[in-house]
Amino acid sequence: RKEVEQDPGPFNVPEGATVAFNCTYSNSASQSFFWYRQDCRKEPKLLMSVYSSGNEDGRFTAQLNRASQYISLLIRDSKLSDSATYLCVVNIGGYSTLTFGKGTMLLVSP
Amino acid sequence: DGGITQSPKYLFRKEGQNVTLSCEQNLNHDAMYWYRQDPGQGLRLIYYSQIVNDFQKGDIAEGYSVSREKKESFPLTVTSAQKNPTAFYLCASMAAATTEAFFGQGTRLTVV
């Protein structure tokens, strides 16, 4: 079983749509969770950390379900500029290495 | 302006040559990492270092070497033993308090 699994997509949505991505992780000892955004041929950039209580940043909402070992990212009112690959990232704690999912591609069309 | 700087952005290597990719950070982070990304693939860990003068192999260390003589610097050497070095190489550092990782802009290495 892969450590961090994501649906590769692509998710094709029109502008203004709401889209949700899920990610599952296999290590129950995982402590930190993140969503990164990666544009084509660029480096990943931190989008948001995911807290146990869930967190929201503008149009983006992240949630964590430890019992089921999955993380979600909800994007409301999609913009053309949201087109990118979204990486789910898990850390078992401290300086332990991060484990990356392969990413979910989002394409927002006019 | 704090951040991570990788150089060069593009690098061409002849078969049989060693090349060194530079990674410098001024974020005062203890931990630094090297990842490799191939087209359509996820990030794979090559080496990481949690403290000066110490580093550990990642999942695909064969054909690569690193050093960590200074906190700010973590250069990666791609040796001739690496049979398929063409890839996008990403350096990252991690903040201890949040375990959030920040990436440099990457080096795209091509074997010619």
Side-chain angles (χ1 to χ4, degrees):
Chain A
R1 180 182 175 184
K2 296 179 184 175
E3 294 186 59
V4 178
E5 286 200 70
Q6 297 182 250
D7 182 340
F11 284 57
N12 289 282
V13 302
E15 271 187 292
T18 296
V19 61
F21 307 136
N22 287 330
C23 161
T24 58
Y25 60 95
S26 60
N27 190 335
S28 59
S30 301
Q31 296 184 18
S32 305
F33 309 90
F34 310 93
W35 283 103
Y36 280 73
R37 169 197 170 122
Q38 186 174 24
D39 293 290
C40 187
R41 300 177 70 83
K42 299 285 189 180
E43 77 275 20
K45 292 185 178 178
L46 180 65
L47 180 65
M48 57 198 308
S49 301
V50 186
Y51 306 122
S52 296
S53 55
N55 48 306
E56 185 174 313
D57 183 2
R59 298 181 293 108
F60 299 85
T61 301
Q63 293 195 315
L64 168 64
N65 185 318
R66 285 188 184 272
S68 300
Q69 294 183 202
Y70 80 80
I71 309 149
S72 65
L73 178 67
L74 181 77
I75 305 175
R76 291 181 298 277
D77 189 22
S78 298
K79 312 291 185 189
L80 295 176
S81 57
D82 293 334
S83 296
T85 296
Y86 291 83
L87 306 176
C88 175
V89 184
V90 173
N91 187 349
I92 62 172
Y95 282 148
S96 299
T97 57
L98 299 173
T99 302
F100 288 79
K102 291 188 176 181
T104 298
M105 182 180 291
L106 172 65
L107 299 172
V108 182
S109 55
Chain B
D1 202 13
I4 303 176
T5 302
Q6 287 186 243
S7 62
K9 190 172 182 180
Y10 299 97
L11 185 58
F12 297 90
R13 188 194 97 169
K14 292 182 181 179
E15 294 213 18
Q17 277 185 338
N18 292 354
V19 292
T20 298
L21 283 57
S22 171
C23 178
E24 304 277 333
Q25 55 102 357
N26 60 6
L27 299 169
N28 200 34
H29 289 168
D30 285 314
M32 296 186 73
Y33 306 81
W34 274 105
Y35 291 91
R36 168 181 173 144
Q37 188 175 37
D38 294 281
Q41 300 297 313
L43 276 69
R44 293 185 291 168
L45 182 66
I46 305 173
Y47 268 98
Y48 66 102
S49 168
Q50 298 180 346
I51 196 168
V52 174
N53 292 322
D54 189 40
F55 48 83
Q56 285 78 41
K57 292 182 179 180
D59 301 319
I60 56 165
E62 185 175 352
Y64 300 98
S65 65
V66 293
S67 63
R68 187 84 187 278
E69 297 176 1
K70 299 186 301 181
K71 186 175 185 178
E72 301 80 16
S73 179
F74 191 40
L76 173 75
T77 297
V78 184
T79 74
S80 57
Q82 171 48 240
K83 297 306 178 189
N84 185 22
T86 295
F88 187 39
Y89 290 87
L90 289 158
C91 178
S93 68
M94 182 184 285
T98 62
T99 69
E100 293 172 349
F102 298 91
F103 287 84
Q105 66 178 13
T107 293
R108 202 164 293 277
L109 174 63
T110 303
V111 174
V112 296

PDB file of all heavy atoms in Angstrom, chain B residues 14-35:
ATOM      1  N   LYS B  14      27.466  16.204 -19.510  1.00  0.00           N
ATOM      2  CA  LYS B  14      27.879  15.172 -20.459  1.00  0.00           C
ATOM      3  C   LYS B  14      27.953  13.847 -19.711  1.00  0.00           C
ATOM      4  O   LYS B  14      28.227  13.812 -18.509  1.00  0.00           O
ATOM      5  CB  LYS B  14      29.244  15.510 -21.058  1.00  0.00           C
ATOM      6  CG  LYS B  14      29.236  16.717 -21.976  1.00  0.00           C
ATOM      7  CD  LYS B  14      30.605  16.953 -22.562  1.00  0.00           C
ATOM      8  CE  LYS B  14      30.599  18.176 -23.471  1.00  0.00           C
ATOM      9  NZ  LYS B  14      31.954  18.445 -24.032  1.00  0.00           N
ATOM     10  N   GLU B  15      27.718  12.790 -20.413  1.00  0.00           N
ATOM     11  CA  GLU B  15      27.812  11.471 -19.794  1.00  0.00           C
ATOM     12  C   GLU B  15      29.213  11.278 -19.207  1.00  0.00           C
ATOM     13  O   GLU B  15      30.210  11.642 -19.811  1.00  0.00           O
ATOM     14  CB  GLU B  15      27.512  10.394 -20.831  1.00  0.00           C
ATOM     15  CG  GLU B  15      26.088  10.430 -21.323  1.00  0.00           C
ATOM     16  CD  GLU B  15      25.555   9.052 -21.671  1.00  0.00           C
ATOM     17  OE1 GLU B  15      26.130   8.050 -21.230  1.00  0.00           O
ATOM     18  OE2 GLU B  15      24.552   8.985 -22.388  1.00  0.00           O
ATOM     19  N   GLY B  16      29.273  10.718 -18.011  1.00  0.00           N
ATOM     20  CA  GLY B  16      30.550  10.456 -17.370  1.00  0.00           C
ATOM     21  C   GLY B  16      31.058  11.580 -16.494  1.00  0.00           C
ATOM     22  O   GLY B  16      32.063  11.428 -15.806  1.00  0.00           O
ATOM     23  N   GLN B  17      30.350  12.714 -16.499  1.00  0.00           N
ATOM     24  CA  GLN B  17      30.780  13.854 -15.688  1.00  0.00           C
ATOM     25  C   GLN B  17      30.070  13.870 -14.348  1.00  0.00           C
ATOM     26  O   GLN B  17      28.911  13.446 -14.242  1.00  0.00           O
ATOM     27  CB  GLN B  17      30.437  15.164 -16.407  1.00  0.00           C
ATOM     28  CG  GLN B  17      31.423  15.610 -17.438  1.00  0.00           C
ATOM     29  CD  GLN B  17      31.060  16.977 -17.996  1.00  0.00           C
ATOM     30  OE1 GLN B  17      29.914  17.416 -17.934  1.00  0.00           O
ATOM     31  NE2 GLN B  17      32.047  17.656 -18.560  1.00  0.00           N
ATOM     32  N   ASN B  18      30.761  14.401 -13.338  1.00  0.00           N
ATOM     33  CA  ASN B  18      30.109  14.727 -12.073  1.00  0.00           C
ATOM     34  C   ASN B  18      29.671  16.183 -12.134  1.00  0.00           C
ATOM     35  O   ASN B  18      30.387  17.022 -12.693  1.00  0.00           O
ATOM     36  CB  ASN B  18      31.072  14.559 -10.899  1.00  0.00           C
ATOM     37  CG  ASN B  18      31.454  13.114 -10.659  1.00  0.00           C
ATOM     38  OD1 ASN B  18      30.940  12.204 -11.285  1.00  0.00           O
ATOM     39  ND2 ASN B  18      32.376  12.910  -9.741  1.00  0.00           N
ATOM     40  N   VAL B  19      28.528  16.486 -11.556  1.00  0.00           N
ATOM     41  CA  VAL B  19      28.092  17.880 -11.448  1.00  0.00           C
ATOM     42  C   VAL B  19      27.578  18.122 -10.043  1.00  0.00           C
ATOM     43  O   VAL B  19      27.065  17.209  -9.400  1.00  0.00           O
ATOM     44  CB  VAL B  19      26.990  18.240 -12.473  1.00  0.00           C
ATOM     45  CG1 VAL B  19      27.530  18.230 -13.882  1.00  0.00           C
ATOM     46  CG2 VAL B  19      25.800  17.311 -12.338  1.00  0.00           C
ATOM     47  N   THR B  20      27.728  19.368  -9.581  1.00  0.00           N
ATOM     48  CA  THR B  20      27.275  19.732  -8.234  1.00  0.00           C
ATOM     49  C   THR B  20      26.209  20.802  -8.316  1.00  0.00           C
ATOM     50  O   THR B  20      26.386  21.824  -8.982  1.00  0.00           O
ATOM     51  CB  THR B  20      28.453  20.223  -7.380  1.00  0.00           C
ATOM     52  OG1 THR B  20      29.396  19.153  -7.237  1.00  0.00           O
ATOM     53  CG2 THR B  20      27.975  20.644  -5.996  1.00  0.00           C
ATOM     54  N   LEU B  21      25.101  20.526  -7.621  1.00  0.00           N
ATOM     55  CA  LEU B  21      23.987  21.462  -7.543  1.00  0.00           C
ATOM     56  C   LEU B  21      24.074  22.185  -6.202  1.00  0.00           C
ATOM     57  O   LEU B  21      24.261  21.561  -5.155  1.00  0.00           O
ATOM     58  CB  LEU B  21      22.661  20.707  -7.644  1.00  0.00           C
ATOM     59  CG  LEU B  21      22.194  20.219  -9.012  1.00  0.00           C
ATOM     60  CD1 LEU B  21      23.212  19.309  -9.680  1.00  0.00           C
ATOM     61  CD2 LEU B  21      20.850  19.507  -8.876  1.00  0.00           C
ATOM     62  N   SER B  22      23.894  23.482  -6.260  1.00  0.00           N
ATOM     63  CA  SER B  22      24.025  24.296  -5.060  1.00  0.00           C
ATOM     64  C   SER B  22      22.661  24.537  -4.403  1.00  0.00           C
ATOM     65  O   SER B  22      21.652  24.710  -5.094  1.00  0.00           O
ATOM     66  CB  SER B  22      24.658  25.641  -5.425  1.00  0.00           C
ATOM     67  OG  SER B  22      24.613  26.543  -4.348  1.00  0.00           O
ATOM     68  N   CYS B  23      22.659  24.555  -3.067  1.00  0.00           N
ATOM     69  CA  CYS B  23      21.462  24.900  -2.309  1.00  0.00           C
ATOM     70  C   CYS B  23      21.898  25.683  -1.078  1.00  0.00           C
ATOM     71  O   CYS B  23      22.693  25.186  -0.269  1.00  0.00           O
ATOM     72  CB  CYS B  23      20.694  23.656  -1.894  1.00  0.00           C
ATOM     73  SG  CYS B  23      19.226  24.030  -0.904  1.00  0.00           S
ATOM     74  N   GLU B  24      21.400  26.900  -0.955  1.00  0.00           N
ATOM     75  CA  GLU B  24      21.723  27.770   0.175  1.00  0.00           C
ATOM     76  C   GLU B  24      20.432  28.306   0.784  1.00  0.00           C
ATOM     77  O   GLU B  24      19.521  28.688   0.060  1.00  0.00           O
ATOM     78  CB  GLU B  24      22.561  28.965  -0.293  1.00  0.00           C
ATOM     79  CG  GLU B  24      23.841  28.608  -1.023  1.00  0.00           C
ATOM     80  CD  GLU B  24      24.988  28.298  -0.081  1.00  0.00           C
ATOM     81  OE1 GLU B  24      24.969  28.830   1.042  1.00  0.00           O
ATOM     82  OE2 GLU B  24      25.889  27.537  -0.475  1.00  0.00           O
ATOM     83  N   GLN B  25      20.378  28.335   2.121  1.00  0.00           N
ATOM     84  CA  GLN B  25      19.192  28.895   2.790  1.00  0.00           C
ATOM     85  C   GLN B  25      19.620  29.863   3.893  1.00  0.00           C
ATOM     86  O   GLN B  25      20.638  29.644   4.554  1.00  0.00           O
ATOM     87  CB  GLN B  25      18.304  27.777   3.360  1.00  0.00           C
ATOM     88  CG  GLN B  25      18.993  26.812   4.297  1.00  0.00           C
ATOM     89  CD  GLN B  25      18.725  27.040   5.765  1.00  0.00           C
ATOM     90  OE1 GLN B  25      18.038  27.972   6.158  1.00  0.00           O
ATOM     91  NE2 GLN B  25      19.267  26.159   6.588  1.00  0.00           N
ATOM     92  N   ASN B  26      18.844  30.907   4.053  1.00  0.00           N
ATOM     93  CA  ASN B  26      19.100  31.874   5.122  1.00  0.00           C
ATOM     94  C   ASN B  26      17.914  31.954   6.073  1.00  0.00           C
ATOM     95  O   ASN B  26      17.649  33.004   6.666  1.00  0.00           O
ATOM     96  CB  ASN B  26      19.450  33.242   4.532  1.00  0.00           C
ATOM     97  CG  ASN B  26      18.338  33.812   3.676  1.00  0.00           C
ATOM     98  OD1 ASN B  26      17.248  33.241   3.592  1.00  0.00           O
ATOM     99  ND2 ASN B  26      18.596  34.933   3.031  1.00  0.00           N
ATOM    100  N   LEU B  27      17.225  30.839   6.208  1.00  0.00           N
ATOM    101  CA  LEU B  27      16.057  30.744   7.082  1.00  0.00           C
ATOM    102  C   LEU B  27      16.418  30.237   8.477  1.00  0.00           C
ATOM    103  O   LEU B  27      15.545  30.089   9.329  1.00  0.00           O
ATOM    104  CB  LEU B  27      15.020  29.808   6.442  1.00  0.00           C
ATOM    105  CG  LEU B  27      14.498  30.261   5.072  1.00  0.00           C
ATOM    106  CD1 LEU B  27      13.704  29.138   4.412  1.00  0.00           C
ATOM    107  CD2 LEU B  27      13.632  31.513   5.234  1.00  0.00           C
ATOM    108  N   ASN B  28      17.701  29.916   8.674  1.00  0.00           N
ATOM    109  CA  ASN B  28      18.181  29.367   9.943  1.00  0.00           C
ATOM    110  C   ASN B  28      17.535  28.016  10.276  1.00  0.00           C
ATOM    111  O   ASN B  28      17.346  27.678  11.444  1.00  0.00           O
ATOM    112  CB  ASN B  28      17.954  30.351  11.102  1.00  0.00           C
ATOM    113  CG  ASN B  28      18.844  30.033  12.298  1.00  0.00           C
ATOM    114  OD1 ASN B  28      19.982  29.585  12.138  1.00  0.00           O
ATOM    115  ND2 ASN B  28      18.340  30.267  13.490  1.00  0.00           N
ATOM    116  N   HIS B  29      17.196  27.257   9.242  1.00  0.00           N
ATOM    117  CA  HIS B  29      16.613  25.936   9.441  1.00  0.00           C
ATOM    118  C   HIS B  29      17.725  24.905   9.633  1.00  0.00           C
ATOM    119  O   HIS B  29      18.741  24.931   8.930  1.00  0.00           O
ATOM    120  CB  HIS B  29      15.770  25.537   8.225  1.00  0.00           C
ATOM    121  CG  HIS B  29      14.510  26.318   8.098  1.00  0.00           C
ATOM    122  ND1 HIS B  29      13.733  26.280   6.947  1.00  0.00           N
ATOM    123  CD2 HIS B  29      13.869  27.136   8.960  1.00  0.00           C
ATOM    124  CE1 HIS B  29      12.685  27.048   7.128  1.00  0.00           C
ATOM    125  NE2 HIS B  29      12.744  27.592   8.327  1.00  0.00           N
ATOM    126  N   ASP B  30      17.506  23.973  10.570  1.00  0.00           N
ATOM    127  CA  ASP B  30      18.489  22.920  10.792  1.00  0.00           C
ATOM    128  C   ASP B  30      18.426  21.838   9.716  1.00  0.00           C
ATOM    129  O   ASP B  30      19.433  21.300   9.297  1.00  0.00           O
ATOM    130  CB  ASP B  30      18.270  22.271  12.170  1.00  0.00           C
ATOM    131  CG  ASP B  30      18.750  23.171  13.296  1.00  0.00           C
ATOM    132  OD1 ASP B  30      19.869  23.714  13.181  1.00  0.00           O
ATOM    133  OD2 ASP B  30      18.013  23.335  14.280  1.00  0.00           O
ATOM    134  N   ALA B  31      17.216  21.479   9.312  1.00  0.00           N
ATOM    135  CA  ALA B  31      17.043  20.343   8.397  1.00  0.00           C
ATOM    136  C   ALA B  31      16.985  20.793   6.949  1.00  0.00           C
ATOM    137  O   ALA B  31      16.317  21.778   6.614  1.00  0.00           O
ATOM    138  CB  ALA B  31      15.773  19.572   8.753  1.00  0.00           C
ATOM    139  N   MET B  32      17.672  20.044   6.102  1.00  0.00           N
ATOM    140  CA  MET B  32      17.648  20.308   4.659  1.00  0.00           C
ATOM    141  C   MET B  32      17.513  18.997   3.911  1.00  0.00           C
ATOM    142  O   MET B  32      17.943  17.936   4.410  1.00  0.00           O
ATOM    143  CB  MET B  32      18.918  21.057   4.227  1.00  0.00           C
ATOM    144  CG  MET B  32      19.038  22.442   4.849  1.00  0.00           C
ATOM    145  SD  MET B  32      20.402  23.407   4.230  1.00  0.00           S
ATOM    146  CE  MET B  32      19.824  23.856   2.586  1.00  0.00           C
ATOM    147  N   TYR B  33      16.921  19.074   2.730  1.00  0.00           N
ATOM    148  CA  TYR B  33      16.552  17.878   1.976  1.00  0.00           C
ATOM    149  C   TYR B  33      16.831  18.057   0.485  1.00  0.00           C
ATOM    150  O   TYR B  33      16.747  19.174  -0.035  1.00  0.00           O
ATOM    151  CB  TYR B  33      15.043  17.594   2.143  1.00  0.00           C
ATOM    152  CG  TYR B  33      14.584  17.493   3.571  1.00  0.00           C
ATOM    153  CD1 TYR B  33      14.323  18.638   4.320  1.00  0.00           C
ATOM    154  CD2 TYR B  33      14.395  16.250   4.174  1.00  0.00           C
ATOM    155  CE1 TYR B  33      13.910  18.547   5.636  1.00  0.00           C
ATOM    156  CE2 TYR B  33      13.973  16.153   5.492  1.00  0.00           C
ATOM    157  CZ  TYR B  33      13.736  17.301   6.220  1.00  0.00           C
ATOM    158  OH  TYR B  33      13.317  17.210   7.522  1.00  0.00           O
ATOM    159  N   TRP B  34      17.119  16.940  -0.183  1.00  0.00           N
ATOM    160  CA  TRP B  34      17.176  16.926  -1.653  1.00  0.00           C
ATOM    161  C   TRP B  34      16.159  15.901  -2.156  1.00  0.00           C
ATOM    162  O   TRP B  34      16.140  14.755  -1.699  1.00  0.00           O
ATOM    163  CB  TRP B  34      18.571  16.532  -2.148  1.00  0.00           C
ATOM    164  CG  TRP B  34      19.507  17.686  -2.248  1.00  0.00           C
ATOM    165  CD1 TRP B  34      20.530  17.999  -1.411  1.00  0.00           C
ATOM    166  CD2 TRP B  34      19.504  18.699  -3.257  1.00  0.00           C
ATOM    167  NE1 TRP B  34      21.161  19.136  -1.831  1.00  0.00           N
ATOM    168  CE2 TRP B  34      20.561  19.583  -2.975  1.00  0.00           C
ATOM    169  CE3 TRP B  34      18.714  18.938  -4.401  1.00  0.00           C
ATOM    170  CZ2 TRP B  34      20.852  20.696  -3.770  1.00  0.00           C
ATOM    171  CZ3 TRP B  34      19.010  20.035  -5.180  1.00  0.00           C
ATOM    172  CH2 TRP B  34      20.068  20.907  -4.867  1.00  0.00           C
ATOM    173  N   TYR B  35      15.361  16.367  -3.132  1.00  0.00           N
ATOM    174  CA  TYR B  35      14.376  15.510  -3.776  1.00  0.00           C
ATOM    175  C   TYR B  35      14.629  15.509  -5.277  1.00  0.00           C
ATOM    176  O   TYR B  35      15.141  16.477  -5.841  1.00  0.00           O
ATOM    177  CB  TYR B  35      12.951  16.020  -3.531  1.00  0.00           C
ATOM    178  CG  TYR B  35      12.473  15.896  -2.112  1.00  0.00           C
ATOM    179  CD1 TYR B  35      12.659  16.936  -1.202  1.00  0.00           C
ATOM    180  CD2 TYR B  35      11.810  14.756  -1.674  1.00  0.00           C
ATOM    181  CE1 TYR B  35      12.210  16.828   0.099  1.00  0.00           C
ATOM    182  CE2 TYR B  35      11.352  14.640  -0.371  1.00  0.00           C
ATOM    183  CZ  TYR B  35      11.566  15.677   0.515  1.00  0.00           C
ATOM    184  OH  TYR B  35      11.119  15.576   1.804  1.00  0.00           O
TER     185      TYR B  35
END
